[in-house]
Amino acid sequence: WKPVLSEALAEASSGTVWDLLPNEHGAAWDPAIAGRRIRVRFLDDVVKNGERTLVTVSHWNKLLKGALVRHVVEHDLDDPEGLVDFDHPEGYSYDPSLTAVDGATTEVSLVARR
């Protein structure tokens, strides 16, 4: 599937690809086809053993990503800064302080305090 998906994404993208795939599916396409890749994670800010920590959401991930996709498409976003005003129905918000850039890949996090 990798060549087929990579070619389809290259043809369909404006240069920016929002990568919402779980880690185990990341090998299904070649990120090099994207001029810019924005990877998104949803995190819960929780208390564990008396300390605040960020935990990756796995169970509700598809539901959470669906609301994000709607926002990205409706606002024609190609930059994570467009997430600043995103009002996720489950309380997740973009935290720019957690953004990491590595070459053409930008990793962003949406966090909910629990």
Side-chain angles (χ1 to χ4, degrees), residues 8 11 14 18 24 38-39 55 57 61 66 68 70 73 79-80 84 89 92 95 100 102 105-106:
E11 290 174 7
S14 62
W18 288 80
E24 60 270 14
I38 302 172
R39 292 194 68 203
V55 178
V57 176
N61 223 337
L68 174 65
R70 171 173 276 193
V73 170
D79 189 282
V84 170
Y92 289 85
D95 185 340
D102 182 12
T105 299
T106 301

Side-chain angles (χ1 to χ4, degrees), residues 76-94:
D76 195 26
L77 299 183
D78 65 354
D79 189 282
E81 290 305 313
L83 298 176
V84 170
D85 296 325
F86 177 46
D87 185 21
H88 194 281
E90 296 298 322
Y92 289 85
S93 60
Y94 171 57

